[in-house]
Amino acid sequence: MRYLTGSHWALSLAMLAPAATLAQDAELDPDRGLPLEPERWARFTTNEGTWISLDVSPDGETIVFDLLGDLYSIPATGGDATRLTSGMGYDMQPRFSPDGERIAFVSDRSGDQNVWLLPSTGGEPSQLSRGTGSAFLSPEWMPDGKYVVVSRSWVVGGLEKLWLYHVDGGTGIEMLGGPRGQRMMGAAVDAEGRYVWYAQRQGTWQYNAIFPQFQLWVYDRQSGTRTPMTNRYGSGFRPALSPDGKLLAYGSRDDADTGIRLRDLDSGVERWLAYPVQRDDMESTATIDVLPGYSFTPESDALVMSYGGRIWRVPVDGSDPAEIPFTVEAEIAIGPEVEFEYPIEDTPTFTVKQIRNAQPSPDGTRLVFTALDRIYVADLSGGEPMRLTGDEVGEFLPIWSPDGSRIAYVT
């Protein structure tokens, strides 16, 4: 899971690092690439996957999806997958451009997470953003096809905000910011490019989370206003807008399960479209968004999404979902095998390297301690330590009674 140990760990560590270290990190070569070269391959055939993000082409003929760090395409009716990317880079969250000619996706192939562009028929990807030490999530095209909006977090600038990148290059511009500890994830843009929906929360995550965690907001690019659009106890996240502008789909919880809500944007009436689907990532750090990406069909009559290991076409009229079968001939690059030889002493007696919970007796003549998860008592004047019991269980935290006649411990 390279996306967990890369940019997001860098974000957490950088917030604790001295300024000098941050300055050095900022000077990293943005084109340094990944340090590992593939030396082994995992080759197998599969017709299912976990946490698949996907998109439907504007003409409705093709589905693009990610699986184990590579991108694939299949006909909208299903079939054998065509590989679009490969290698050590972790490629994910693909989205078709409005004209269907290109695919925006997130990858760490440059050595950091960034947004990349790829011809929809495959070929050589080109790098769009050039951040070092940042994290990028859930790219989405603006309707004019000239810009990509993406959630980006800085190493020292807080959590994800919404950024715009022009397809011809440049350093990007923050479209929608906010307090450092506020997350903005999973943008969805209406057909005119005026309204941008997104999921927002305070902070990254917390133990024993109190709900709600995320809620949906909408940003009006014309007036500059931001408006909360959900107030569900089960939260609101991963919005998607239908091409005809009439429907909103988003993820939410009910009880212990996650599902997809469907809202009529004219009336505001909502219902469950698919429930349950799969787990969400609200109570973790949501390093690849709270749910995998999904998409309406061009006719706005169904939602195409993945859950239960499969890809489904879920009609908006409430009729039964239909599976879209796929078969992937996977060829996953793996780095060199890491193997070290460590000598382990197996003589009958040896020197213990770690003594824990040592406690002197009240009269100062003996010592009780834990070694190799067993309790021993030794005379401070010398001699062999003596096992306290004959039990074959862990024994810890010994303590003497005030008169030195007994020892209490935990097991």
Side-chain angles (χ1 to χ4, degrees):
M1 302 177 80
R2 186 180 300 106
Y3 44 85
L4 287 179
T5 56
S7 301
H8 272 75
W9 282 117
L11 170 63
S12 302
L13 295 174
M15 289 187 173
L16 303 176
T21 302
L22 295 175
Q24 292 169 3
D25 289 344
E27 295 172 0
L28 288 173
D29 178 7
D31 300 314
R32 66 189 183 280
L34 294 170
L36 293 181
E37 294 293 333
E39 291 191 7
R40 298 173 295 158
W41 301 86
R43 296 181 173 92
F44 55 91
T45 302
T46 184
N47 61 359
E48 60 183 3
T50 302
W51 204 275
I52 294 174
S53 283
L54 59 82
D55 194 24
V56 180
S57 62
D59 62 8
E61 297 295 321
T62 306
I63 297 171
V64 63
F65 64 95
D66 59 24
L67 182 73
L68 294 173
D70 292 333
L71 302 186
Y72 299 87
S73 66
I74 56 172
T77 54
D80 293 336
T82 299
R83 181 193 304 277
L84 300 178
T85 67
S86 62
M88 292 295 289
Y90 197 93
D91 305 330
M92 62 179 183
Q93 300 179 323
R95 306 302 284 186
F96 278 107
S97 60
D99 62 6
E101 296 296 318
R102 288 187 284 188
I103 295 169
F105 66 100
V106 173
S107 177
D108 64 356
R109 58 179 57 217
S110 67
D112 292 270
Q113 275 192 351
N114 275 292
V115 182
W116 290 70
L117 301 179
L118 174 74
S120 57
T121 55
E124 189 65 28
S126 59
Q127 188 172 343
L128 180 61
S129 69
R130 306 193 73 82
T132 55
S134 297
F136 291 83
L137 290 173
S138 304
E140 182 61 278
W141 290 84
M142 299 300 288
D144 60 9
K146 296 179 180 179
Y147 290 89
V148 173
V149 58
V150 65
S151 297
R152 176 184 181 177
S153 66
W154 288 85
V155 175
V156 291
L159 300 175
E160 293 90 348
K161 305 297 183 288
L162 299 185
W163 278 69
L164 274 176
Y165 287 88
H166 195 283
V167 295
D168 290 339
T171 58
I173 186 171
E174 188 177 80
M175 180 177 75
L176 185 59
R180 176 172 174 156
Q182 192 174 78
R183 302 187 83 175
M184 300 175 179
M185 299 172 63
V189 187
D190 77 334
E192 286 72 43
R194 175 175 176 178
Y195 296 105
V196 181
W197 293 69
Y198 60 96
Q200 178 175 299
R201 66 161 289 168
Q202 290 296 123
T204 307
W205 69 287
Q206 65 183 97
Y207 284 115
N208 304 317
I210 303 299
F211 276 35
Q213 292 288 295
F214 286 87
Q215 296 293 0
L216 295 189
W217 287 65
V218 67
Y219 171 56
D220 185 340
R221 298 179 66 212
Q222 181 172 307
S223 67
T225 58
R226 316 180 195 195
T227 307
M229 299 302 287
T230 60
N231 190 28
R232 288 185 57 83
Y233 176 75
S235 300
F237 43 84
R238 241 333 178 168
L241 296 168
S242 62
D244 63 9
K246 295 180 179 180
L247 299 173
L248 165 75
Y250 69 94
S252 187
R253 272 254 197 116
D254 185 66
D255 198 5
D257 291 315
T258 302
I260 301 298
R261 301 282 294 175
L262 190 67
R263 176 187 296 184
D264 184 304
L265 290 174
D266 289 332
S267 66
V269 174
E270 284 194 7
R271 59 183 169 87
W272 289 107
L273 176 64
Y275 177 87
V277 286
Q278 64 163 59
R279 71 169 182 87
D280 60 64
D281 204 22
M282 272 195 291
E283 293 172 86
S284 184
T285 53
T287 51
I288 46 178
D289 216 317
V290 188
L291 271 182
Y294 46 88
S295 173
F296 279 94
T297 57
E299 298 80 16
S300 302
D301 61 348
L303 196 70
V304 179
M305 63 182 303
S306 174
Y307 58 88
R310 311 288 181 166
I311 296 176
W312 302 90
R313 187 183 189 274
V314 185
V316 300
D317 63 8
S319 55
D320 292 339
E323 182 180 349
I324 301 174
F326 68 91
T327 302
V328 168
E329 297 293 338
E331 189 175 77
I332 308 301
I334 305 174
E337 184 175 0
V338 180
E339 183 178 2
F340 301 97
E341 291 188 0
Y342 292 97
I344 299 176
E345 196 170 359
D346 59 358
T347 55
T349 60
F350 54 89
T351 301
V352 174
K353 302 295 179 63
Q354 186 182 79
I355 301 294
R356 290 181 292 163
N357 313 125
Q359 295 285 339
S361 61
D363 62 8
T365 63
R366 291 178 294 170
L367 188 73
V368 65
F369 58 88
T370 297
L372 304 175
D373 292 345
R374 304 292 185 266
I375 290 179
Y376 291 83
V377 177
D379 290 330
L380 289 175
S381 60
E384 291 290 325
M386 178 188 68
R387 272 289 310 275
L388 183 67
T389 77
D391 296 338
E392 293 303 315
V393 295
E395 302 170 347
F396 313 100
L397 301 169
I399 189 75
W400 295 90
S401 63
D403 62 4
S405 64
R406 289 178 292 176
I407 293 170
Y409 62 97
V410 174
T411 187

